[in-house]
């Protein structure tokens, strides 16, 4: 039997939970990878352990800022979203914001900004 052709691309955006920090093989055993496998879909993971959604004073780039960057750890240009289009985007954030004392209003403002960036990058995707 021929392998199943992927039905679309799912992008997973998040922190250590999304990148699979505590799993046996990191990204390959994280929930995003496993969901893609089960659905027969291609997937990307825009995730890094530790950062919050909101920019805080801990010298880490926020995930709201990282979403558009080619490399969040260096001065690089924005990612070229014309290279591919996600059919769906799953966002799992907030754990690190709570630990850094981010207020609900700050979180909501950054989350709204991130959603605008996602919608601009992927105008037809399910979010």
């Amino acid at each position: 039997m021929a392998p199943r052709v992927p039905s679309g691309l799912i992008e997973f955006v998040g922190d250590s939970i999304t990148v699979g920090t505590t799993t046996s093989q990191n990204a390959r055993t994280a929930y995003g990878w496993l969901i893609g496998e089960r659905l027969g879909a291609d997937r990307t993971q825009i995730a890094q352990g530790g950062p919050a959604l909101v920019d805080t004073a801990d010298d880490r780039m926020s995930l709201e800022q990282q979403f558009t960057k080619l490399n969040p750890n260096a001065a690089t240009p924005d990612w070229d979203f014309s290279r591919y289009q996600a059919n769906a985007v799953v966002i799992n954030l907030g754990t690190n914001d709570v630990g850094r004392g981010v207020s609900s209003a700050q979180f909501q403002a950054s989350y709204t900004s991130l959603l605008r960036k996602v919608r601009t990058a992927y105008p037809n995707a399910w979010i």
Side-chain angles (χ1 to χ4, degrees):
M1 176 175 223
R4 189 174 152 206
V5 176
S7 59
L9 176 76
I10 305 170
E11 185 156 279
F12 294 87
V13 179
D15 51 26
S16 59
I17 295 167
T18 302
V19 82
T21 298
T22 61
T23 64
S24 63
Q25 295 178 21
N26 293 323
R28 286 190 49 130
T29 50
Y31 77 90
W33 183 275
L34 298 174
I35 288 171
E37 287 286 305
R38 298 288 298 257
L39 295 176
D42 288 332
R43 63 258 175 220
T44 59
Q45 291 162 285
I46 310 300
Q48 185 175 2
L53 171 66
V54 177
D55 191 19
T56 57
D58 63 358
D59 294 328
R60 292 179 188 234
M61 183 181 285
S62 71
L63 281 165
E64 186 267 326
Q65 295 168 326
Q66 283 184 35
F67 177 73
T68 61
K69 296 297 178 192
L70 183 61
N71 179 347
N73 300 311
T76 59
D78 284 349
W79 176 253
D80 179 5
F81 288 99
S82 70
R83 295 179 65 178
Y84 66 85
Q85 284 290 293
N87 299 91
V89 179
V90 177
I91 302 171
N92 183 7
L93 294 167
T95 302
N96 296 321
D97 295 275
V98 170
R100 291 187 176 95
V102 172
S103 72
S104 295
Q106 290 172 303
F107 187 85
Q108 183 177 0
S110 289
Y111 200 86
T112 301
S113 175
L114 175 62
L115 289 174
R116 279 191 203 105
K117 289 178 180 182
V118 170
R119 178 55 64 216
T120 298
Y122 309 121
N124 300 310
W126 287 87
I127 301 174

